[in-house]
Amino acid sequence: MSPPLLIALRFLGARKRAMLMSLAGIVFGVAFFVVTQAQTAGFESYFIKTILGVNGMVRVEDRIQGGRVLSAADGSAFAIAVEGSVKYIPGVQFPNKVAEALAGFPEVTASSPVIRGNATLLANFREYDVKPHGIELTTFVAVSDLESQIIDGSLAAFAENPYGLVVGARVARRMNLQVGESVLLDGAGEPQRFRVNAIFETGIDQVDRERVYLHLAACRPLLNKPTGASFVQINLADPALAPALAPRIQQAIGHSTMPWQEREKTWLQVFSVLRVSSALTISTIIFISGLGMFNTLVMIVVDKTREIAILRSMGYTRDDISRIFMYQGGIVVALGVVLGCVAAAAGTWGLSKIPIRIRGIFASDHFVVLWDPWHYVAAAGIAVVVVLVASYFPARRAARIEPGSIIRGSSS
Amino acid sequence: MSLLRVENLHRWLGEGETRAHALRGVSFEIESGRTYAIAGHSGSGKSTLLYLLGLLDVPDEGRIWIGDQETSRLDDEARTAVRNARLGFVFQFHFLLKEFTALENVMLPMRKLGRLSEPDMRAKAAELLGAVGLGDKVRRLGNQLSGGEQQRVAIARALANDPALILADEPTGNLDQANADRVFALLRDLAHTRGQALLMVSHNPELAARCDHVLHMKDGRLLD
């Protein structure tokens, strides 16, 4: 063990209470930082998982037509696009061709055409406006989490029934629907009969209270859309690829293509602001601990001025003296980070067990947390920087002590 | 070759109107295995000279050789290294680190020098404490020892790295007569038996007279 480290360890006891307070501050700061980040990031990631499971990672929608370009001169490479000249033609006219084109993108793992429209659901002498979604079940389950969203009934029964229906949980509740019940859907003026095979719940209020799924073939006459699709929902190997891939798909197939990050921008920003805000708030605990550490070390430097002088007289360099105080900060922050991380892990686990019913943007019956090592790294990084900066100034002050004048002052 | 040689040392202290010429061209030499006392009234420049010789201060003029090394223009780090390896200090107050035992206090200069292994450092520290009559108190913390005992630990600490020169600033000034006599005898005997030189500043003329040489100072000059 180096002499400065040994001396630092012994000096730590010089102001035990103040040092313990600083240590406690770092432990709580690190723990709270990690727990709040685990919680906000947990809710954010669960929201993303939910929204991707419902609306997919990328959607190919309206066809883009036109986009007038003015050239500087005939044959000139310099040209500008005329704003407002682009037209969007609703829907995807040839979904099979789009699917073929999408197969050329290695990042795309699955795609599924969907018809979307409006209809009135009639059952139990009640009427309720819904948004029927016509799907190809085999491909749609590959671009959504519909299988895991089923809370009653089964998709197998729906697959076997050409006039089967899967209804949102709030639609079922509002209309008092049970699995196996027969209902009428009126889309284009001619009501058609369907049987409820399953009930799904996404946790997203807007989806659960208006969406119903039916087979694509059965949906076409209902919505009077004999060909084409409203959109094609795409799944990717990595959701993070969506922003880069969407413009390439749009360029290739001439349809407006939107990644989930742009589609859910509002909510993602809300989560981002919450995460940054909680990080800043909790960091103040660590900053205050750093101030405490600064005060404690300054007091130790004042208390130990004569000891520092005698150490210098016996051959300890200014760097050695500086290290004694930097090591004290380092020891406290190392201990604080380790204990803080243990407390954070325990707190995060405990928080994940707290029952809380959440519905609206996702469905959960307990706190959602995200176990991310980067939260621990960030908390440790903030604590280390704050404490080492707080230790630097007292350490520098200690290193500047002139042994001769201190010893002479003490002797005279 | 003399152990220590100083040549025409000048030192001004203070600033502005309070600036005083504390040392006015001091020159002398000292030899190994001998004891020297610097005697003089308060303000004569004794301590200023001692702190310059101990490389705890830098002369405004003049030169200091320790052995064949000219030290007065060394930078802080080099002067610190010379202090660690070649000088031992005993001050009026013991300045023990209270968080360390007597043994650990004596080991502190050795740890910095880094020439000995941990067991060798312990053995040597125990031997030095035995030599100053504290062999049975090696595990006591600094504040569990009497004033005389603490000063003897400080002497053992000053001898830890076998310094060529021991510099003592009123080493008995804070002790009663019995302890003062004992500490001085200890310092003198250790210096003689180990071949080290002792240079001591003292107000006490009786104590100074018991050294091999007495250097009298007045108004920043050596009288002899």
Side-chain angles (χ1 to χ4, degrees):
Chain A
M1 187 187 294
S2 77
L5 180 58
L6 176 72
I7 298 168
L9 282 167
R10 298 293 175 87
F11 277 10
L12 273 176
R15 291 264 176 181
K16 270 185 205 148
R17 199 173 297 172
M19 208 55 103
L20 282 174
M21 289 301 289
S22 299
L23 176 66
I26 295 164
V27 171
F28 283 120
V30 168
F32 282 138
F33 184 96
V34 172
V35 169
T36 53
Q37 288 301 296
Q39 181 195 330
T40 49
F43 281 128
E44 182 182 14
S45 68
Y46 196 68
F47 165 75
I48 291 169
K49 183 182 178 302
T50 302
I51 209 76
L52 294 184
V54 174
N55 292 331
M57 297 179 192
V58 177
R59 274 189 178 184
V60 173
E61 295 186 86
D62 303 343
R63 183 156 67 89
I64 301 169
Q65 195 178 56
R68 205 145 56 90
V69 174
L70 287 180
S71 295
D74 286 344
S76 169
F78 181 75
I80 54 166
V82 179
E83 223 173 299
S85 64
V86 178
K87 284 183 182 169
Y88 291 93
I89 298 175
V92 180
Q93 196 175 358
F94 303 106
N96 291 341
K97 285 188 175 176
V98 167
E100 280 172 26
L102 289 172
F105 290 88
E107 300 92 336
V108 175
T109 58
S111 68
S112 182
V114 178
I115 295 175
R116 180 179 50 194
N118 296 301
T120 303
L121 192 146
L122 303 120
N124 301 325
F125 306 105
R126 293 182 206 169
E127 291 184 4
Y128 188 71
D129 289 337
V130 293
K131 291 190 183 301
H133 279 56
I135 58 171
E136 286 177 358
L137 184 62
T138 49
T139 55
F140 192 74
V141 292
V143 297
S144 72
D145 290 336
L146 184 59
E147 279 177 310
S148 62
Q149 290 160 359
I150 300 301
I151 57 170
D152 197 5
S154 78
L155 280 185
F158 173 69
E160 287 170 8
N161 182 359
Y163 292 95
L165 192 68
V166 181
V167 300
R170 290 197 61 181
V171 175
R173 207 172 304 137
R174 185 72 68 91
M175 297 295 286
N176 200 20
L177 294 177
Q178 306 292 328
V179 170
E181 203 165 323
S182 177
V183 299
L184 285 172
L185 275 176
D186 184 357
E190 195 174 327
Q192 293 179 27
R193 187 160 294 282
F194 293 86
R195 187 168 298 281
V196 177
N197 292 125
I199 297 170
F200 71 88
E201 184 179 43
T202 64
I204 303 172
D205 192 56
Q206 196 179 0
V207 173
D208 293 340
R209 69 181 155 86
E210 63 183 24
R211 192 176 292 191
V212 296
Y213 291 110
L214 53 158
H215 292 287
L216 191 65
C219 196
R220 289 196 183 284
L222 176 74
L223 299 178
N224 197 19
K225 291 182 177 175
T227 60
S230 303
F231 59 87
V232 175
Q233 191 158 311
I234 296 172
N235 195 51
L236 306 177
D238 179 0
L241 297 175
L245 187 64
R248 285 169 52 208
I249 294 175
Q250 180 168 309
Q251 183 77 23
I253 63 178
H255 280 263
S256 120
T257 306
M258 190 178 281
W260 65 271
Q261 290 92 337
E262 196 179 331
R263 190 180 68 217
E264 311 299 340
K265 197 161 58 181
T266 309
W267 276 111
L268 292 177
Q269 279 180 347
V270 169
F271 281 115
S272 174
V273 167
L274 273 176
R275 210 138 52 92
V276 172
S277 153
S278 66
L280 288 175
T281 308
I282 301 300
S283 293
T284 55
I285 297 177
I286 301 176
F287 282 119
I288 291 166
S289 309
L291 280 177
M293 191 75 207
F294 172 82
N295 278 334
T296 307
L297 286 177
V298 167
M299 286 190 289
I300 293 176
V301 170
V302 171
D303 282 353
K304 299 287 182 192
T305 302
R306 293 196 314 178
E307 283 84 348
I308 293 165
I310 199 72
L311 284 168
R312 290 277 291 123
S313 77
M314 68 174 74
Y316 284 79
T317 62
R318 291 188 195 280
D319 276 354
D320 290 328
I321 301 300
S322 178
R323 265 187 227 124
I324 289 170
F325 290 90
M326 291 303 288
Y327 282 151
Q328 287 182 70
I331 292 163
V332 171
V333 77
L335 204 59
V337 165
V338 170
L339 294 176
C341 287
V342 171
T348 304
W349 181 83
L351 194 70
S352 71
K353 300 297 169 196
I354 295 175
I356 180 171
R357 183 177 163 80
I358 304 170
R359 296 292 185 277
I361 56 170
F362 50 74
S364 178
D365 294 321
H366 54 82
F367 267 92
V368 184
V369 296
L370 179 72
W371 294 89
D372 186 346
W374 284 107
H375 295 157
Y376 293 79
V377 172
I382 293 170
V384 166
V385 169
V386 167
V387 173
L388 291 188
V389 168
S391 307
Y392 171 74
F393 295 100
R396 195 176 63 166
R397 177 174 168 171
R400 283 180 174 172
I401 287 174
E402 287 298 339
S405 56
I406 298 299
I407 294 167
R408 287 189 72 169
S410 300
S411 302
S412 58
Chain B
M1 182 192 287
S2 54
L3 171 65
L4 174 82
R5 183 158 63 94
V6 298
E7 198 176 275
N8 192 33
L9 282 188
H10 285 267
R11 183 72 175 115
W12 280 263
L13 295 177
E15 285 178 14
E17 289 180 2
T18 61
R19 189 170 164 81
H21 199 172
L23 288 184
R24 301 162 185 250
V26 173
S27 301
F28 68 97
E29 295 182 12
I30 66 173
E31 311 230 335
S32 298
R34 314 285 293 169
T35 56
Y36 297 79
I38 305 174
H41 296 295
S42 282
S44 60
K46 308 183 300 289
S47 292
T48 303
L49 176 61
L50 192 83
Y51 285 95
L52 285 177
L53 301 179
L55 311 185
L56 293 168
D57 196 3
V58 182
D60 295 304
E61 227 178 276
R63 298 204 279 184
I64 303 167
W65 282 268
I66 296 176
D68 56 357
Q69 188 176 15
E70 210 280 286
T71 60
S72 50
R73 298 291 175 262
L74 293 176
D75 64 20
D76 185 73
E77 193 141 333
R79 281 187 285 126
T80 306
V82 173
R83 280 203 301 270
N84 182 231
R86 309 192 70 173
L87 302 178
F89 290 93
V90 182
F91 300 106
Q92 183 177 351
F93 295 97
H94 52 80
F95 294 138
L96 297 185
L97 272 63
K98 66 181 181 191
E99 294 82 5
F100 289 77
T101 63
L103 190 82
E104 290 168 333
N105 265 289
V106 177
M107 287 167 72
L108 281 170
M110 298 187 223
R111 287 189 187 283
K112 177 56 194 167
L113 192 62
R115 282 188 192 152
L116 299 178
S117 65
E118 179 79 18
D120 288 346
M121 282 193 282
R122 285 187 174 279
K124 185 171 180 184
E127 180 209 322
L128 286 168
L129 284 169
V132 297
L134 293 173
D136 56 339
K137 294 179 178 174
V138 293
R139 295 194 188 285
R140 296 237 183 132
L141 291 172
N143 54 10
Q144 293 169 339
L145 297 166
S146 69
E149 288 170 337
Q150 288 174 338
Q151 194 63 320
R152 281 188 276 153
V153 174
I155 292 170
R157 184 178 63 189
L159 298 169
N161 287 342
D162 296 321
L165 175 61
I166 300 163
L167 298 165
D169 186 8
E170 303 279 6
T172 60
N174 203 33
L175 300 176
D176 57 39
Q177 188 61 47
N179 267 314
D181 288 345
R182 186 171 183 186
V183 163
F184 174 74
L186 190 61
L187 274 170
R188 187 188 56 192
D189 295 347
L190 286 169
H192 284 151
T193 55
R194 290 167 175 261
Q196 293 157 320
L198 169 69
L199 181 63
M200 182 179 76
V201 163
S202 180
H203 275 109
N204 187 334
E206 285 177 25
L207 218 57
R210 286 158 67 183
C211 288
D212 300 327
H213 304 275
V214 182
L215 309 172
H216 293 283
M217 283 196 78
K218 189 177 180 186
D219 299 332
R221 290 189 181 89
L222 279 179
L223 297 180
D224 303 325

